[in-house]
């Protein structure tokens, strides 16, 4: 039986769609089993087309991106209403994404910075007409509606999406692995005693040894192993864009806990090495951290 | 989440009077030094404010930063971590690992816009009941000045 699929894009870079079409000819393996009923990134569908579809009639709903505007919220709820099985596709959808880092500031500060104070802007104004309006706070999609499947990644690799799709089409469950990026990384690891942290452009990287052992902040140890260690394999430290393994509640807290144990440095040196801990430890998942949730509650209390 | 019901009298009255804010503080104490120190403070009948809920852990090195953040998220007004003096750790270096984590935690809280003073790290040995009681008193004073946790009260 051909399954109906809808792919919706909220606030995001649409890189997940790019990653899916990067499957090229392999797309032909899954496409015959699918009937695309909504995919604005590729076909010119409008919101009204999705609204016209009967409830619970879409077999797989893929939601990419997070809710930064009120229209995103509407589309997310609409997708839940129409879909039998909803997939949080990509880190934005699963954790809030890079835009979640904006939760450190109030909405007004963000709007002023972007529309009034940016270097390239002359006669700036904050756009208000004919726009859906912004949400005060980026809340991870799974906190707004229920999801059956979570598939993180920034973006999920073409293979990740194909694997999940194939499993869903054949009716099998799709669960996230408990392993980390380190489990997939080919580099040689030794006991960790880090004396100094380097930025990626400093020093010379030995391509055969573990990047963290050499003092580069590679977050593979705290990041779910789905990507096949793409970055460390080519000597680029992992930024943790796939988020933590399933049983970890707070990515950054876990990273800090590990760094305290493996760094052979004084606390002062360690603190100096990371002037921006939120940016370094919560690249795509700040919105789902405890600290951002605390801030979110504070905001909603203030509003009342 | 199951929230244990408090048997403390007059809870409802206390809630709407801001002037009588009584902080709820979570304290993680290591089994070998600070928990014994807390015990000593108790058996020696030293006076300290009753605002602290103690959780015993084997070593401060076992405390994951997510425990502390979770406590704050659940509404603790402050979190105190109390361990052995540097060099005295039962497991040789657990307390030093905690100290390194703590430096990063403070920086993280500051960046996220939460008062870093809500968390505090202190050393108190098994023989220092007085140091422990003083640490608790100072912590309660500090949190009283800061006011309630912005998240609201859940624990």
């Amino acid at each position: 039986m051909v399954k109906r699929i809808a792919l919706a894009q909220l606030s995001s870079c649409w890189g997940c769609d790019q990653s899916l079409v990067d499957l090229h000819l392999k797309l032909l393996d899954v496409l015959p089993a699918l009937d695309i009923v909504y995919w604005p990134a590729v076909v010119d569908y409008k919101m009204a087309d999705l609204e016209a579809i009967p409830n619970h009639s879409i077999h797989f709903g893929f939601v990419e991106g997070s809710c930064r505007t009120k229209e995103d919220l509407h589309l997310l709820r609409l997708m839940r209403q129409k879909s039998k099985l909803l997939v949080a596709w990509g880190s934005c959808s699963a954790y809030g994404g890079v835009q979640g880092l904006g939760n450190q500031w109030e909405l007004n500060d963000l709007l002023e910075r972007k529309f009034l104070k940016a270097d390239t802007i002359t006669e700036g104004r904050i756009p208000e007409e004919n726009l859906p309006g912004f949400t005060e706070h980026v809340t991870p999609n799974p906190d707004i509606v229920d999801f059956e499947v979570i598939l993180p990644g920034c973006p999920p690799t073409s293979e990740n999406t194909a694997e999940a799709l194939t499993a869903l089409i054949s009716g099998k469950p799709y669960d996230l692995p408990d392993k980390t990026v380190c489990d997939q990384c080919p580099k040689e690891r030794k006991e960790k005693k880090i004396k100094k942290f380097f930025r990626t452009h400093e020093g010379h990287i030995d391509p055969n040894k573990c990047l963290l052992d050499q003092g580069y902040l590679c977050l593979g140890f705290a990041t779910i192993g789905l990507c096949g260690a793409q970055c460390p394999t080519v000597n680029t430290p992992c930024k943790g864009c796939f988020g933590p393994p399933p049983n970890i509640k707070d990515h950054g807290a876990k990273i800090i806990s590990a760094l305290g144990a493996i760094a052979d440095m004084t606390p002062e040196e360690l603190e100096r090495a990371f002037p921006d801990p939120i940016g370094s430890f919560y690249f795509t998942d700040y919105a789902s951290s405890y600290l951002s949730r605390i801030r979110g509650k504070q905001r909603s209390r203030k509003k009342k | 989440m199951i929230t244990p019901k408090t048997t403390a009298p007059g809870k409802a009255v206390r809630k709407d009077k801001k002037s009588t804010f009584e902080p709820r503080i979570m304290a993680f104490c290591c089994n070998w030094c600070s928990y014994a120190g807390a015990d000593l403070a108790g058996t020696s009948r030293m006076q300290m404010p009753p605002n602290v809920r103690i959780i015993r852990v084997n070593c401060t090195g076992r405390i994951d930063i997510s425990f502390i953040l979770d406590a704050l998220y659940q509404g603790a007004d402050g979190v105190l971590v109390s361990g052995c003096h540097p060099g005295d750790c039962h497991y040789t270096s657990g307390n030093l690992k905690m100290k390194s984590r703590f430096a990063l935690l403070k920086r993280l809280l500051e960046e996220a816009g939460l008062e870093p003073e809500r968390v505090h790290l202190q050393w108190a040995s098994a023989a220092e009941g007085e140091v422990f009681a003083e640490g608790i008193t100072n912590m309660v004073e500090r949190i009283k000045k800061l006011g309630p946790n912005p998240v609201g009260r859940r624990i």
Side-chain angles (χ1 to χ4, degrees):
Chain A
M1 186 186 127
V2 174
K3 309 266 184 177
R4 280 181 293 280
I5 184 172
L7 301 103
Q9 287 79 40
L10 316 180
S11 294
S12 66
C13 68
W14 299 29
C16 301
D17 298 279
Q18 183 65 52
S19 168
L20 178 59
V21 294
D22 275 350
L23 274 172
H24 299 299
L25 290 177
K26 271 192 261 168
L27 260 180
L28 297 176
D29 299 340
V30 286
L31 276 184
L34 296 171
D35 174 19
I36 298 168
V37 294
Y38 183 76
W39 193 6
V42 172
V43 192
D44 185 20
Y45 287 109
K46 304 286 185 230
M47 187 82 86
D49 298 318
L50 185 61
E51 280 164 353
I53 295 172
N55 288 353
H56 306 291
S57 68
I58 298 171
H59 293 98
F60 314 127
F62 277 62
V63 176
E64 177 205 343
S66 63
C67 294
R68 183 78 263 190
T69 69
K70 288 172 184 156
E71 189 187 15
D72 293 336
L73 269 175
H74 172 69
L75 181 52
L76 175 62
R77 295 205 174 106
L78 197 61
M79 281 295 284
R80 177 67 277 184
Q81 207 181 348
K82 306 289 176 192
S83 311
K84 286 182 182 164
L85 193 147
L86 203 60
V87 183
W89 188 33
S91 290
C92 292
S93 195
Y95 313 120
V98 178
Q99 55 270 44
L101 289 170
N103 283 353
Q104 295 170 64
W105 297 277
E106 299 303 321
L107 178 62
N108 275 342
D109 298 338
L110 293 172
L111 292 177
E112 274 178 25
R113 180 72 188 82
K114 164 128 181 75
F115 294 111
L116 305 178
K117 293 180 186 161
D119 296 338
T120 49
I121 281 185
T122 49
E123 295 172 41
R125 63 182 179 90
I126 295 173
E128 270 157 6
E129 275 170 50
N130 301 325
L131 290 169
F134 294 101
T135 52
E136 291 284 324
H137 187 86
V138 175
T139 310
N141 294 347
D143 290 1
I144 303 171
V145 298
D146 290 331
F147 281 87
E148 278 79 18
V149 177
I150 305 277
L151 175 61
C154 189
T157 62
S158 309
E159 288 75 24
N160 291 154
T161 308
E163 198 186 317
L165 256 181
T166 321
L168 295 179
I169 289 170
S170 58
K172 286 184 199 138
Y174 179 79
D175 292 318
L176 295 175
D178 271 323
K179 58 186 179 192
T180 63
V181 174
C182 286
D183 295 329
Q184 302 181 317
C185 180
K187 292 186 189 300
E188 187 198 349
R189 269 173 298 183
K190 289 194 176 137
E191 176 136 0
K192 290 181 174 38
K193 278 215 165 108
I194 303 161
K195 301 262 185 225
K196 185 181 186 306
F197 276 100
F198 300 99
R199 300 189 62 187
T200 27
H201 59 83
E202 293 171 340
H204 288 283
I205 292 175
D206 182 337
N208 298 318
K209 288 186 185 152
C210 169
L211 296 173
L212 190 59
D213 287 354
Q214 298 180 60
Y216 297 93
L217 183 71
C218 179
L219 299 178
F221 63 86
T223 302
I224 186 166
L226 273 173
C227 58
Q230 302 184 77
C231 299
T233 312
V234 292
N235 302 323
T236 304
C238 171
K239 284 192 70 108
C241 70
F242 274 63
N247 49 1
I248 304 294
K249 281 189 183 162
D250 194 299
H251 200 187
K254 213 71 195 170
I255 294 166
I256 291 178
S257 300
L259 286 182
I262 56 176
D264 195 10
M265 299 159 74
T266 64
E268 294 74 28
E269 282 172 341
L270 197 59
E271 197 188 336
R272 263 198 307 272
F274 301 108
D276 173 23
I278 292 182
S280 308
F281 306 147
Y282 294 101
F283 178 43
T284 60
D285 47 12
Y286 183 61
S288 58
S289 72
Y290 282 122
L291 284 170
S292 167
R293 285 171 206 264
I294 289 175
R295 196 76 184 266
K297 285 206 164 193
Q298 199 177 350
R299 277 183 191 130
S300 56
R301 274 163 67 92
K302 243 185 224 164
K303 233 182 166 182
K304 278 174 202 164
Chain B
M1 177 151 307
I2 300 161
T3 318
K5 277 189 184 140
T6 177
T7 50
K11 194 185 162 202
V13 183
R14 218 167 51 207
K15 252 189 182 168
D16 32 59
K17 278 189 186 171
K18 265 190 184 166
S19 54
T20 56
F21 161 62
E22 285 297 331
R24 291 193 193 185
I25 291 162
M26 177 80 80
F28 291 100
C29 294
C30 88
N31 181 37
W32 306 97
C33 291
S34 289
Y35 195 79
D39 200 26
L40 181 68
T43 47
S44 319
R45 306 194 173 203
M46 289 169 190
Q47 291 298 311
M48 56 179 145
N51 304 57
V52 176
R53 277 74 167 153
I54 294 178
I55 291 180
R56 178 169 65 164
V57 289
N58 254 6
C59 177
T60 45
R62 173 62 186 90
I63 300 169
D64 196 305
I65 294 300
S66 57
F67 299 173
I68 299 172
L69 295 178
D70 199 356
L72 289 173
Y73 175 61
Q74 290 191 34
D77 297 308
V79 179
L80 179 70
V81 176
S82 192
C84 308
H85 285 276
D88 285 354
C89 179
H90 188 78
Y91 308 96
T92 67
S93 63
N95 52 355
L96 300 180
K97 289 180 174 138
M98 187 61 214
K99 201 179 171 200
S100 291
R101 287 171 192 157
F102 213 78
L104 284 176
L105 171 68
K106 283 233 168 191
R107 185 75 198 86
L108 188 69
L109 289 179
E110 204 183 318
E111 202 184 7
L114 202 71
E115 301 94 341
E117 295 82 15
R118 288 199 186 275
V119 295
H120 190 71
L121 177 66
Q122 68 170 29
W123 311 130
S125 80
E128 293 175 333
E130 225 164 282
V131 173
F132 184 83
E134 204 186 301
I136 298 276
T137 315
N138 292 343
M139 182 78 191
V140 173
E141 281 306 307
R142 204 177 302 126
I143 300 299
K144 273 190 177 167
K145 267 184 210 148
L146 286 179
N149 185 335
V151 137
R153 195 159 265 187
R154 271 174 59 199
I155 56 170

